[in-house]
Amino acid sequence: MPRFRGPELPILALTLGHVFSNAVRTLPAMAADVLSRDLGLTPEALAALTGAFPAAFALAMVPVGVGLDRWGVRRTALVLLAIGGFGCALAALAGGPAGMLVAQCVLGIGCAGALMCPMTYAARAMDGHRFALWSGIIQAFGNCGMLLSASPLALLVEAEGWRAGFWASGGLALLAFAAVAATVRQPPPVRQGHRSLWQDTREILAIAASPRLRALMVIAFASFAVVLGVRGLWGGPWLMEAKGLTRVQAGNVLLLVAVALVAGPALAGVVQRWVGRPVALLVGSHLGVAGLVFLMVGGGPGGWLAAALGLPVLPAAFDATVMVAFGLVISFQILVFAQVRAAVPPDQTGRALSANNIAFFGGAAVLQAVSGFAAGWGGIGAALSTFAVALVVCSLGFLWLRRRAGG
């Protein structure tokens, strides 16, 4: 088996798992209506069911962190990709809500290391400056999965149904598995003394609750939740139901959002190197995204912005513009990873990144469930507003905790 001298190719191979994860977890945005119809679900039930993905993802972050630091990136990634591929098959074969719930849980577990595996590999193989650059590359390349779950998926769903989307995602997981097996050779980290699995697990939980990460955990709670809520679930139904677009037209808009999410991390890295002030950029971007979501909801049927402009509803072009801006601005969330890496010693990198990911996906699970209740009460606009409110609260909480810690 050939050996590769630099870390770049193995990192890209590992990031294929992140491409797969992004594709499969944003699939419901393009198939929510037919999924609900075929599985006999209300919108709030679909939100709760698909919320099992981030919930399982968050719970799996503890064993993933242990695996990365105990057994290394290669073995952890291969096991998780195999689980993810199996989850796709379960989803494609699901005959009702119970089957899809199991599939979403398995998929959440299988995707739990999709971002952490390449991030941990890069953190161990590169110095701080190169890691900051590559964390943006990893995020940008991984977000290409959302390109696949936009217009291409809309066309596939129209032609073959939503089950074909899960089969296609399974093929992507298989491709990622083969690429990791062929390229990744980084050995497990050197461990000092004998530690039990329980000790490693307790350390991850302790890191998650530690003062050095507490503020970052709070802002992370809402940060990824809004991406999954807007791009992964409610964005497609909003465009189709509130703005009257067809599935393919909505897919084209979400494709533009995905392009913004691919380009955004690189832009965020450039701005951060030019401006500095990562805390101000983090808070400003998240509050800005909250404002964008409120604007989009305000432009819907009977919304405050549409009423202020004397219109029944703003055109879909307005939503497309707001959503693209959303994708670019929320990408400043990548600054969290560099701050987490800087807060812990190298031998705790995998556990610290995994601890932070508990907040990313735990928040997504909680807020997606809350958004389902909001949708049942006030429609899709209320569901979207849930994430905007959470962004404001968590951004202010982040600042307060930093001030208390003297950061």
Side-chain angles (χ1 to χ4, degrees):
M1 186 71 67
R3 291 183 178 269
F4 299 92
R5 300 178 65 181
E8 293 83 4
L9 188 57
I11 290 172
L12 292 176
L14 288 162
T15 307
L16 280 174
H18 190 32
V19 175
F20 157 69
S21 177
N22 272 315
V24 78
R25 69 183 174 222
T26 55
L27 190 156
M30 278 291 88
D33 57 335
V34 287
L35 269 171
S36 298
R37 182 197 66 204
D38 292 351
L39 299 179
L41 297 168
T42 62
E44 53 267 34
L46 178 63
L49 189 151
T50 55
F53 180 107
F57 192 114
L59 291 173
M61 288 314 305
V62 172
V64 166
V66 172
L68 288 170
D69 285 341
R70 180 176 284 266
W71 296 295
V73 173
R74 174 185 164 86
R75 278 184 279 183
T76 303
L78 290 175
V79 169
L80 292 173
L81 285 168
I83 294 172
F86 179 60
C88 285
L90 289 177
L93 297 171
M100 182 57 73
L101 177 63
V102 172
Q104 289 294 310
C105 290
V106 174
L107 282 169
I109 294 169
C111 293
L115 179 58
M116 290 302 96
C117 285
M119 284 287 191
T120 302
Y121 189 103
R124 291 172 180 162
M126 296 174 169
D127 60 27
H129 178 73
R130 292 189 71 203
F131 175 75
L133 171 65
W134 273 86
S135 64
I137 293 173
I138 290 166
Q139 190 81 323
F141 181 31
N143 285 347
C144 288
M146 297 188 204
L147 297 175
L148 300 176
S149 65
S151 299
L153 178 65
L155 292 168
L156 182 61
V157 170
E158 285 288 293
E160 301 294 337
W162 59 267
R163 297 181 191 275
F166 283 108
W167 286 122
S169 297
L172 187 55
L174 181 61
L175 174 64
F177 184 97
V180 170
T183 62
V184 178
R185 294 291 178 272
Q186 190 182 53
V190 177
R191 300 182 59 81
Q192 301 296 325
H194 176 73
R195 295 174 58 85
S196 68
L197 289 174
W198 173 238
Q199 286 175 311
D200 280 335
T201 300
R202 282 194 307 174
E203 184 168 357
I204 290 177
L205 297 177
I207 290 172
S210 66
R212 55 189 165 169
L213 289 188
R214 198 173 294 156
L216 291 168
M217 296 280 284
V218 167
I219 198 167
F221 187 86
S223 183
F224 183 71
V226 70
V227 178
L228 197 59
V230 174
R231 175 59 188 85
L233 180 59
W234 297 114
W238 171 262
L239 292 169
M240 287 186 278
E241 295 180 23
K243 296 306 172 84
L245 300 187
T246 67
R247 188 185 316 280
V248 174
Q249 288 172 334
N252 291 338
V253 173
L254 295 183
L255 181 65
L256 293 176
V257 180
V259 170
L261 286 164
V262 170
L267 175 63
V270 171
V271 172
Q272 196 276 330
R273 285 194 296 273
W274 177 50
V275 175
R277 302 178 61 83
V279 171
L281 288 174
L282 265 178
V283 174
S285 62
H286 284 63
L287 291 176
V289 166
L292 289 170
V293 174
F294 282 132
L295 282 176
M296 187 169 68
V297 173
W304 62 269
L305 182 58
L309 296 174
L311 298 171
V313 63
L314 294 188
F318 170 78
D319 299 78
T321 302
V322 169
M323 284 186 170
V324 169
F326 162 89
L328 291 172
V329 178
I330 195 59
S331 296
F332 281 87
Q333 66 189 197
I334 67 162
L335 301 180
V336 172
F337 297 108
Q339 292 198 56
V340 169
R341 182 188 184 274
V344 299
D347 64 317
Q348 292 184 349
T349 300
R351 280 165 284 186
L353 290 172
S354 296
N356 196 68
N357 237 22
I358 292 173
F360 268 120
F361 282 85
V366 171
L367 293 176
Q368 190 153 309
V370 172
S371 76
F373 289 112
W377 167 72
I380 298 174
L384 290 168
S385 297
T386 299
F387 299 99
V389 171
L391 282 170
V392 174
V393 172
C394 290
S395 296
L396 296 178
F398 170 74
L399 287 175
W400 180 69
L401 287 171
R402 279 185 57 85
R403 187 172 294 112
R404 283 194 63 188

